[in-house]
Amino acid sequence: MKFLKLIPIIFMVFGTFPYKNLVHAEIKSPKDYKVLSNENKKLSISNVEYFIERGDKFIKNEDFDKAKSSYLDARKLAQQLAKFYADLNTSFKGVDARIPKEMQRKGKETLKALAKTNERLSFLYLKTKKPEVAVPLLIETIRIMSPNSPEGKEAYKRLIQLGFVDTQYKG
């Protein structure tokens, strides 16, 4: 019975500690914590680059199936990111000019990564003697980057080499 009388005293003693500083994260201010702002984020251009680099390593080791899988993962993620940035861009047009500018910048970076992925995939398909699968990737690169960009010019040169088109682009 005496023990039961001590329970309220124990609660009063331990209940007076503040809870706000008991958990410490690696950041100085909890308000600055952003889940997707670190380097190993899933929805990021750096993760697309990681997949591309991993695919390049598989190509060097002549493991074409794993390289294809890695490039396809990079391509899928880049397409998702580009769509998300485009959606945010259109949603905030006329509301806050800073956000569409940021989304446009990030979208361009993502499209460059997508073009890079398409280039690697088309090279892989050409190496494995599947040019019919490489052609749509090269056309997509021209569409998303424009024929005047270095990526677009390179993609068009490949289309000429494949015999899909005949006319030289002088741009």
Side-chain angles (χ1 to χ4, degrees):
M1 281 300 213
K2 289 184 181 183
F3 177 72
L4 292 176
K5 291 180 182 178
L6 291 175
I7 291 177
I9 295 172
I10 292 172
F11 278 124
M12 286 191 296
V13 169
F14 290 110
T16 59
F17 291 116
Y19 292 108
K20 64 181 180 180
N21 289 324
L22 291 179
V23 177
H24 297 285
E26 291 183 21
I27 56 171
K28 293 183 180 181
S29 173
K31 292 178 184 175
D32 295 335
Y33 182 70
K34 297 176 184 173
V35 175
L36 296 175
S37 66
N38 58 9
E39 285 302 313
N40 60 1
K41 49 195 167 188
K42 301 291 183 201
L43 282 173
S44 70
I45 297 169
S46 63
N47 205 30
V48 173
E49 292 292 334
Y50 166 76
F51 284 129
I52 293 171
E53 290 170 10
R54 197 171 82 177
D56 291 345
K57 288 178 185 175
F58 289 134
I59 289 284
K60 286 180 183 175
N61 296 334
E62 296 187 12
D63 192 351
F64 298 132
D65 289 333
K66 287 184 181 178
K68 177 183 166 188
S69 175
S70 186
Y71 289 146
L72 288 174
D73 288 343
R75 187 169 187 274
K76 181 179 175 184
L77 181 58
Q79 287 174 327
Q80 287 176 334
L81 286 172
K83 182 173 178 355
F84 294 155
Y85 290 138
D87 288 346
L88 283 172
N89 184 4
T90 56
S91 295
F92 280 94
K93 275 201 170 143
V95 177
D96 186 345
R98 298 169 301 152
I99 296 171
K101 284 181 183 178
E102 177 190 353
M103 295 305 112
Q104 197 169 26
R105 180 183 52 79
K106 288 185 174 190
K108 285 180 182 179
E109 290 176 32
T110 304
L111 290 178
K112 282 185 180 184
L114 179 59
K116 191 175 181 180
T117 304
N118 285 349
E119 176 191 0
R120 299 297 207 300
L121 261 174
S122 67
F123 174 75
L124 177 67
Y125 286 130
L126 292 174
K127 192 169 184 124
T128 57
K129 299 183 180 9
K130 295 180 184 175
E132 67 279 358
V133 184
V135 169
L137 295 170
L138 295 169
I139 292 171
E140 182 184 44
T141 299
I142 295 168
R143 183 178 51 81
I144 62 175
M145 294 304 294
S146 93
N148 291 328
S149 69
E151 297 89 352
K153 289 178 183 178
E154 184 62 34
Y156 193 77
K157 283 180 189 176
R158 284 233 178 110
L159 288 173
I160 289 174
Q161 290 169 354
L162 290 172
F164 186 75
V165 293
D166 297 323
T167 307
Q168 294 285 332
Y169 177 62
K170 296 180 182 180

